[in-house]
Amino acid sequence: MQEHPLRWFITAPQACPYLDDREMQSLLVDPAVSLGGHRYGQLLGEGFRRSGQYVYRHHCPNCTACVPVRIPVRVFRPNRSQRRCLTLNHDVTVTLTRPPDQAGPGPAADLDEHMPLFSRYLSSRHAGGGMEQMGREDYAGMLSHRNGPVDLIEFRHTDRLIAVAITDRTPQGLSAMYSFFDPDQPRRGLGTLAVLTQIAHARRLGLPYVYLGYWIDQAPKMEYKTRFQPLEGRVDGAWERLAASR
């Protein structure tokens, strides 16, 4: 079946949320178009990312600070710190679920169980940024899109939900779209555990990459991404290895 040509939109300039002295623009795929998993996966390979219903790539005329990054699954090996994280969380149970409106194998997630943890995480990590006002309908919208299946990876300790990883699945790889976790358990390294679990999930599925979105060298909150080695970044239209953080 022949693919229909895509329509593109460019957002108006706005203040960059990552670098205080910059403006940001994004190139958007027409959100009314159903891409399908294969086409969406191709766009991931070209540096695109999903946020809710929007598939986009930053398109800033005077800045190239945002670098799309991905982990090549076949050659990834956890470092000492990441192995400690896995050992520390040996008592965590991992369950693969799906959004309630998505057909497929496995149990449907209980969004009412997710919401208290999601709200606590947003209040802790995104206070004052607008995201803390997101309700159940907004959250459900993050999980429902037209571009292929979404896997929800749930983490529990003694039957209590402590983390969720929202993962887009395509034939070309997984995209770590968003994760949230108990902000009162920093020692567990639940963000690291979520990425390691998605890498393991991709390996089981025989998928080559886990896409981590954007990395910015000048943004300390993104430094953790370079701890997953080897890591590839898309620079000047081509993927290349990035150095580990110091």
Side-chain angles (χ1 to χ4, degrees):
M1 181 180 296
Q2 185 176 5
E3 293 182 336
H4 296 292
L6 296 178
R7 289 199 305 165
W8 305 91
F9 302 91
I10 296 180
T11 63
Q14 57 184 305
C16 177
Y18 310 112
L19 302 173
D20 292 339
D21 59 341
R22 313 277 177 96
E23 285 190 334
M24 182 182 73
Q25 287 184 271
S26 295
L27 179 67
L28 300 178
V29 181
D30 182 356
V33 172
S34 178
L35 294 171
H38 181 75
R39 208 173 194 184
Y40 176 39
Q42 289 178 321
L43 289 173
L44 290 176
E46 294 174 15
F48 282 76
R49 179 81 169 147
R50 179 174 78 88
S51 177
Q53 302 301 308
Y54 297 100
V55 176
Y56 70 96
R57 183 173 69 191
H58 292 315
H59 188 74
C60 307
N62 301 311
C63 181
T64 58
C66 290
V67 178
V69 292
R70 69 186 185 187
I71 301 166
V73 170
R74 185 179 62 83
V75 293
F76 171 79
R77 297 293 181 273
N79 61 27
R80 181 181 300 179
S81 174
Q82 290 158 356
R83 292 195 299 271
R84 280 200 304 268
C85 177
L86 291 170
T87 300
L88 181 63
N89 289 290
H90 73 279
D91 55 350
V92 172
T93 301
V94 179
T95 306
L96 181 65
T97 65
R98 56 182 170 80
D101 65 346
Q102 177 179 295
D110 181 356
L111 301 194
D112 290 331
E113 182 189 23
H114 288 199
M115 279 309 300
L117 179 63
F118 183 60
S119 297
R120 286 179 55 223
Y121 177 82
L122 293 182
S123 295
S124 172
R125 297 298 181 98
H126 298 286
M131 284 190 70
E132 74 273 20
Q133 303 301 322
M134 292 179 67
R136 190 183 188 283
E137 185 175 340
D138 301 308
Y139 177 56
M142 290 175 62
L143 310 181
S144 177
H145 71 120
R146 303 180 178 193
N147 309 313
V150 176
D151 292 333
L152 297 177
I153 304 175
E154 300 176 341
F155 302 81
R156 288 183 175 81
H157 178 247
T158 60
D159 294 329
R160 186 170 68 88
L161 187 70
I162 60 172
V164 176
I166 305 169
T167 311
D168 289 345
R169 176 164 34 98
T170 80
Q172 294 89 340
L174 300 180
S175 177
M177 205 280 284
Y178 195 77
S179 63
F180 56 94
F181 46 84
D182 187 345
D184 296 328
Q185 299 198 47
R187 289 188 64 254
R188 283 192 176 272
L190 293 171
T192 296
L193 180 64
V195 175
L196 293 172
T197 304
Q198 287 171 97
I199 295 170
H201 182 38
R203 186 172 282 132
R204 284 192 299 271
L205 295 171
L207 297 176
Y209 300 108
V210 172
Y211 290 86
L212 295 183
Y214 291 104
W215 167 76
I216 299 175
D217 187 30
Q218 305 97 312
K221 289 184 178 180
M222 295 186 179
E223 180 266 339
Y224 76 92
K225 297 184 181 184
T226 62
R227 298 174 193 161
F228 295 89
Q229 290 291 328
L231 185 72
E232 297 179 354
R234 196 169 190 272
V235 180
D236 296 329
W239 292 95
E240 60 182 49
R241 291 284 176 90
L242 297 179
S245 59
R246 297 180 180 178

